[in-house]
Amino acid sequence: MKVGILQTGHAHPEIQARHGPVDRWFHRLLDDLGFAFETWPVLEGVFPDSPLSADGWLVTGSEHGAYDALAWIAPLEDFIREVAGLEHPLVGICFGHQVIAQALGGRVEKFEGGWAVGQQRYRMGDASLVLNAWHQDQVVARPPHARRVATSDFCDNAILAYDGNILTVQAHPEFSEAHLADMIRFRGASVPEGVLADARTRNGRRNDNAMLRELLATTLKAAPSPPRSRGRLDF
């Protein structure tokens, strides 16, 4: 099946030299799961012709905020609502998690509690997940149709699921140990040194990227529901 990657950010030049452009990170994450990929760099104003241009959609992370006054964010929100209205599979990572929530009626803010960088522990029912994070913005109010799947003391809405084949996650399952180390080295200037030092200490321990990759793949492979007469959700 074909996954359409809606690219919303660019990699730092040093990180791109080591790990490739942003869309390639998700090729590696979902490798060997039966997907083909096509990328639309929506941050450059390049959008798909239709939500049916791919079988499922992935919204990447970004250096931008979902609330920023950028010309491409409102059209991206419109596209997200179209995808949701068709109940087409959709996943979002970090910024993608946030902008999907914002498009569907939630609220995103710069979190007054500061930064989450590196391995973070989340509660998912009775289970515990360890995932790499890199964010200050958060979904501070869930959309009406969103269910909280995972949470932490720092990030209340860490993973959200929606009716209609949508799953979004605040953390970065596409970050390997080496990738995170380079993020700390090249993107850490705006993060307090104590937060970076703590992230360096935890980096390389066991994580649950593989389990989250399976959840994302399951969502992307979900068959769209039969079309409904109204054609889209009313948010």
Side-chain angles (χ1 to χ4, degrees):
M1 67 169 290
K2 178 177 171 181
V3 174
I5 296 179
L6 302 175
Q7 184 179 339
T8 62
H10 289 305
H12 183 284
E14 294 287 353
I15 293 172
Q16 179 161 317
R18 289 164 169 76
H19 304 284
V22 168
D23 57 340
R24 296 289 174 178
W25 306 348
F26 296 97
H27 293 200
R28 286 192 294 270
L29 176 67
L30 299 170
D31 192 27
D32 299 326
L33 294 175
F35 297 117
F37 301 95
E38 184 173 351
T39 299
W40 283 268
V42 296
L43 78 167
E44 298 171 5
V46 179
F47 282 82
D49 291 333
S50 161
L52 302 180
S53 297
D55 301 305
W57 296 96
L58 184 152
V59 187
T60 72
S62 178
E63 65 271 30
H64 303 293
Y67 45 73
D68 287 344
L70 299 170
W72 53 271
I73 289 183
L76 175 59
E77 291 181 316
D78 288 341
F79 188 81
I80 287 166
R81 286 188 284 268
E82 288 186 61
V83 172
L86 293 171
E87 299 194 349
H88 226 49
L90 173 65
V91 300
I93 308 296
C94 196
F95 173 91
H97 166 78
Q98 297 161 8
V99 76
I100 290 169
Q102 181 171 282
L104 302 183
R107 190 171 78 254
V108 178
E109 294 180 357
K110 193 174 294 295
F111 184 51
E112 64 182 13
W115 285 85
V117 172
Q119 289 196 348
Q120 309 290 312
R121 188 171 295 278
Y122 304 94
R123 299 182 297 278
M124 189 170 73
D126 294 331
S128 178
L129 298 180
V130 175
L131 300 167
N132 285 323
W134 189 285
H135 70 100
Q136 187 175 13
D137 292 351
Q138 291 194 27
V139 177
V140 297
R142 294 189 298 278
H145 300 81
R147 305 184 307 280
R148 184 172 59 197
V149 174
T151 187
S152 74
D153 293 339
F154 183 85
C155 183
D156 191 32
N157 298 303
I159 301 178
L160 297 176
Y162 302 72
D163 293 339
N165 306 324
I166 302 175
L167 182 74
T168 68
V169 57
Q170 179 60 70
H172 283 277
E174 77 278 20
F175 284 5
S176 65
E177 176 183 350
H179 192 146
L180 181 61
D182 285 336
M183 289 287 293
I184 293 169
R185 180 180 177 189
F186 297 111
R187 289 287 309 279
S190 59
V191 180
E193 177 54 36
V195 174
L196 295 177
D198 189 45
R200 290 188 195 99
T201 299
R202 297 193 309 277
N203 193 23
R205 298 178 185 175
R206 186 199 66 81
N207 65 56
D208 293 294
N209 285 352
M211 189 274 279
L212 187 55
R213 142 186 148 118
E214 294 300 325
L215 288 178
L216 294 170
T218 297
T219 301
L220 288 168
K221 291 181 179 180
S225 300
R228 295 175 298 175
S229 59
R230 57 180 173 154
R232 63 184 295 163
L233 297 177
D234 297 320
F235 294 105

